[in-house]
Amino acid sequence: MFMGTGEGDEAALRALRQSETTGWPLGNDRWLKELEKQTGRTLTAQKRGPKASQNS
């Protein structure tokens, strides 16, 4: 149960709050990949920092 009286409510609420804070959509990998395909945008967090140079 997502936001009812079920046992996983605390974890679900934390996930929802984290999604609100970061601005990233909340959903499973399959759903996110489908949205990325439909919108042509990256909807999941990527590795942070500068890209590694190809000359290394």
Side-chain angles (χ1 to χ4, degrees), residues 5-53:
T5 59
E7 187 175 293
D9 285 346
E10 287 298 319
L13 186 56
R14 273 194 306 275
L16 182 59
R17 294 290 183 214
Q18 180 67 28
S19 182
E20 288 178 330
T21 300
T22 63
W24 294 108
L26 179 62
N28 65 32
D29 290 339
R30 182 175 160 200
W31 182 75
L32 290 172
K33 292 293 180 195
E34 183 60 31
L35 279 180
E36 286 180 341
K37 193 167 104 177
Q38 289 178 10
T39 62
R41 297 188 61 169
T42 301
L43 299 175
T44 54
Q46 303 297 301
K47 185 177 177 182
R48 292 182 172 199
K51 293 182 181 179
S53 68

